[in-house]
């Protein structure tokens, strides 16, 4: 932007995510999500696969930032996902060239206000209120593909208070990563969640969520305290101590 141009409100800061083992950051332009890309989860949710929706870049929650339980909902689900980051993009990218567009990978958690989503579905309305709320997309630091390669298989799981509640393998995806890039025409600076593994559970405050692959881990902590419990019982979900994603 030219120095002589003025905006009527402050320009939002760019959304930057850390790169593992580096002082560099990845600038996020768009966030695409793949819905029901694991057959078991698609059956679990009662619909045919596969489709796309979006979150906003500023819905992302980098490691070490607080995660408050969102307002307006009594039924928030968390879902483990592999996340891909693009250094190049465009339309009609050949499947055989799609992996060349990837900068790196991370592990993410897709939070959904499921009760609000159910209302939107019933009324035939979009899902933004259920999906694109503040801090709804925790994500780990990015592992560059130059170091990791391009994992076509590998376990991905989610633990809740030490109990394994989600588990799958990247090779169970219906649309593989190159097909996702081809289908959406993702731009440079975009990231895409590759969809949740089966058994999407419900969050409760005062709990610990760990989402992992063999090459990356993410953790969300909902601390338990009498102050937090009192505030929740009084209907205030955002007051008091807040969770952390690490």
């Amino acid at each position: 932007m030219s120095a002589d141009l003025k905006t009527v409100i402050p320009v939002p800061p760019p959304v930057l995510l850390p790169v593992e083992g580096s002082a560099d950051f990845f600038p996020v332009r768009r966030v695409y999500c793949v819905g029901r890309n694991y057959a078991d989860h698609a059956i679990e949710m009662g619909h045919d696969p596969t489709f796309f929706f979006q979150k906003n870049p500023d819905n992302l929650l980098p490691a070490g930032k607080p995660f408050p339980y969102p307002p307006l909902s009594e039924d928030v689900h968390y879902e483990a996902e592999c996340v891909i980051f693009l250094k190049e993009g465009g339309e009609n990218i050949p499947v055989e060239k799609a992996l060349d567009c990837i900068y790196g990978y991370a592990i993410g958690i897709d939070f959904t206000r499921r009760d609000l989503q159910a209302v939107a579905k019933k009324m035939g309305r979009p899902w933004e209120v259920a999906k694109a709320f503040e801090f709804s997309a925790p994500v780990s630091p990015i592992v560059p593909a130059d170091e990791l390669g391009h994992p076509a298989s590998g376990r991905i799981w989610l633990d809740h208070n030490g109990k394994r509640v989600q588990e799958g393998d990247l090779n169970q995806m219906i649309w593989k990563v190159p097909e996702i890039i081809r289908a959406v025409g993702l731009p440079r600076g975009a990231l895409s969640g590759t969809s949740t593994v089966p058994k999407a559970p419900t969050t409760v405050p005062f709990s610990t969520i760990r989402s992992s692959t063999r090459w990356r881990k993410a953790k969300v902590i909902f601390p338990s305290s009498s102050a937090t419990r009192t505030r929740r019982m009084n209907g205030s979900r955002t007051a008091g101590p807040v969770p952390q994603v690490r």
Side-chain angles (χ1 to χ4, degrees):
M1 180 181 293
S2 174
D4 59 348
L5 293 179
K6 296 182 179 180
T7 60
V8 296
I9 62 173
V11 177
V15 176
L16 304 173
L17 294 179
V19 176
E20 180 77 12
S22 171
D24 296 334
F25 290 84
F26 184 95
V28 179
R29 181 179 174 189
R30 297 181 189 170
V31 180
Y32 290 86
C33 305
V34 186
R36 302 179 189 127
N37 198 29
Y38 288 78
D40 287 349
H41 182 60
I43 295 170
E44 178 181 63
M45 296 301 293
H47 293 273
D48 295 331
T50 295
F51 61 91
F52 299 90
F53 60 92
Q54 286 187 263
K55 295 197 179 200
N56 302 309
D58 57 4
N59 295 149
L60 294 166
L61 182 64
K65 301 295 184 180
F67 178 88
Y69 192 101
L72 306 177
S73 178
E74 299 294 329
D75 187 21
V76 176
H77 286 201
Y78 48 86
E79 305 169 316
E81 305 195 359
C82 175
V83 185
I84 59 177
F85 295 80
L86 298 190
K87 62 183 178 181
E88 301 292 342
E91 296 181 352
N92 300 317
I93 298 172
V95 169
E96 61 272 16
K97 299 290 186 181
L99 294 181
D100 296 337
C101 298
I102 296 175
Y103 172 78
Y105 297 83
I107 186 74
I109 300 175
D110 171 22
F111 281 100
T112 304
R113 294 193 284 198
R114 195 70 82 191
D115 44 0
L116 300 187
Q117 184 186 41
V119 173
K121 288 180 179 179
K122 185 175 181 180
M123 301 180 72
R125 293 179 176 175
W127 293 1
E128 280 83 355
V129 69
K131 286 286 190 179
F133 57 91
E134 295 303 295
F135 315 117
S136 62
V139 62
S140 73
I142 304 164
V143 181
D146 288 346
E147 301 176 12
L148 176 66
H150 298 286
S153 63
R155 291 173 56 237
I156 179 171
W157 65 90
L158 189 147
D159 291 350
H160 179 212
N161 286 342
K163 180 181 179 181
R164 186 65 42 86
V165 293
Q166 278 189 301
E167 185 169 12
D169 195 288
L170 299 179
N171 64 19
Q172 296 171 330
M173 289 192 294
I174 298 169
W175 284 16
K176 311 304 182 185
V177 169
E179 295 168 333
I180 293 171
I181 296 173
R182 164 73 179 182
V184 183
L186 297 171
R188 174 189 298 167
L191 62 89
S192 176
T194 55
S195 188
T196 183
V197 295
K199 297 184 179 178
T202 303
T203 61
V204 293
F206 339 118
S207 61
T208 299
I209 303 169
R210 298 174 185 268
S211 181
S212 304
T213 65
R214 60 182 173 81
W215 42 267
R216 199 66 193 90
K217 297 182 179 180
K219 180 169 67 173
V220 178
I221 302 175
F222 294 77
S224 176
S225 73
S226 58
T228 306
R229 289 179 185 274
T230 300
R231 287 184 173 91
R232 186 187 184 283
M233 289 174 64
N234 290 337
S236 176
R237 296 296 188 93
T238 57
V242 292
Q244 300 284 325
V245 58
R246 300 176 182 174

